[in-house]
Amino acid sequence: MASDPEALAPQISFDDYLRIDIRTGTIVEAEPFPEARKPAIKMVIDFGPEIGLKKSSAQITVHYTPEELVGRQVMAVVNFPPRQIGPIRSEVLTLGFADENGAIVLAAVDKPVPNGRRLL
């Protein structure tokens, strides 16, 4: 991966794209994550009956509080290997975009869809 996160990534095939499994889920628990090196929130996200509940940690404290995240539908990559982040095992990569100051804004659907639906 390029060292500049804003650099255009190399072209990939459609089959490469299909290997990335991005799903919708609803945040059912969120709390501060003071053990993280950078300010973060740990979350439990419901991806529906097939995938279930998964944990995630995200550096989203500039734009979000734990209380306002519960019930919010987000998008996440569900087929990356889990990563140990301090005392928790982050099982999915919650997706977002950096704003003009580098703070993360969550990627989400603009209308509700069932948890566990795959990005097409």
Side-chain angles (χ1 to χ4, degrees):
M1 184 161 188
S3 60
D4 177 5
E6 293 300 315
L8 191 60
Q11 191 172 55
I12 63 171
S13 72
F14 188 72
D15 286 340
D16 289 334
Y17 164 73
L18 290 175
R19 294 179 58 208
I20 302 168
D21 194 352
I22 299 172
R23 305 280 179 137
T24 57
T26 299
I27 299 170
V28 295
E29 294 177 31
E31 61 186 65
F33 187 16
E35 303 91 349
R37 278 185 272 152
K38 294 182 180 178
I41 296 174
K42 52 186 170 181
M43 301 170 285
V44 175
I45 306 170
D46 180 0
F47 289 98
E50 184 180 336
I51 298 169
L53 299 175
K54 298 290 181 181
K55 294 178 188 170
S56 183
S57 168
Q59 296 171 1
I60 56 175
T61 58
V62 171
H63 292 296
Y64 307 98
T65 64
E67 297 78 24
E68 69 183 295
L69 288 170
V70 174
R72 182 184 192 102
Q73 201 163 44
V74 294
M75 298 167 56
V77 177
V78 299
N79 66 332
F80 283 158
R83 286 184 58 190
Q84 193 70 36
I85 302 176
I88 77 157
R89 192 167 170 89
S90 187
E91 300 172 296
V92 298
L93 175 65
T94 306
L95 300 176
F97 297 92
D99 69 10
E100 62 278 351
N101 297 313
I104 301 302
V105 175
L106 290 170
V109 295
D110 68 350
K111 304 247 187 292
V113 296
N115 289 334
R117 286 289 161 96
R118 187 170 183 170
L119 178 68
L120 303 175

